[in-house]
């Protein structure tokens, strides 16, 4: 869905931004997946698992049930929103989660 919904220019800019944040660490592993298991009121969700070897697994899920009907800009904003959650989780940022949702 991500590939089909976002133009290559926008996708490349998002990829560069996410890579610049997450590729700096060999212990942070980020996955972006399309799912159909999220509630239809959720565009996306980000989960974090701290592994025993000090690695961090981040999974950004995008709701394939509703996002295919959204604009490219909305999908890009959703990916960036979930990337903020991933960044906060990976860096232990304590920004108030309600504030993040107000900004999005």
């Amino acid at each position: 869905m991500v590939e089909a919904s976002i133009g290559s220019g926008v996708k490349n800019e998002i990829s560069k931004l996410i890579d610049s944040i997450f590729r700096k660490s060999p212990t942070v592993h980020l996955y972006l997946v399309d799912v159909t298991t999220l509630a239809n009121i959720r565009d996306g969700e980000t989960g974090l698992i701290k592994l025993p070897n000090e690695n961090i697994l981040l999974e950004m899920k995008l709701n394939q049930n509703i996002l295919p009907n959204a604009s490219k800009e909305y999908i890009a904003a959703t990916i960036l929103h979930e990337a903020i959650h991933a960044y906060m989780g990976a860096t232990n940022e304590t920004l108030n989660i309600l504030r993040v949702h107000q900004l999005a």
Side-chain angles (χ1 to χ4, degrees), residues 3 6-13:
E3 306 296 329
I6 300 176
S8 63
V10 174
K11 187 178 79 173
N12 287 339
E13 289 304 311

Side-chain angles (χ1 to χ4, degrees), residues 7-101:
S8 63
V10 174
K11 187 178 79 173
N12 287 339
E13 289 304 311
I14 292 171
S15 294
K16 285 182 204 174
L17 177 64
I18 291 173
D19 282 349
S20 73
I21 295 169
F22 294 103
R23 296 252 186 227
K24 292 179 181 177
S25 173
T27 60
V28 176
H29 309 281
L30 178 68
Y31 298 93
L32 181 65
V33 295
D34 294 330
V35 298
T36 57
T37 55
L38 294 176
N40 284 337
I41 59 169
R42 297 188 58 94
D43 299 325
E45 179 178 283
T46 298
L48 177 143
I49 300 171
K50 292 189 177 186
L51 302 172
N53 57 1
E54 297 189 18
N55 282 334
I56 297 173
L57 173 65
L58 296 161
E59 184 177 60
M60 291 173 31
K61 298 176 184 177
L62 299 178
N63 193 339
Q64 194 172 12
N65 294 324
I66 56 177
L67 287 177
N69 298 319
S71 69
K72 293 177 184 179
E73 294 82 6
Y74 188 85
I75 295 169
T78 299
I79 293 169
L80 289 174
H81 176 92
E82 294 306 322
I84 290 169
H85 285 293
Y87 175 79
M88 290 170 54
T91 61
N92 293 315
E93 290 292 327
T94 58
L95 183 63
N96 184 318
I97 199 71
L98 294 175
R99 180 75 176 133
V100 172
H101 283 276

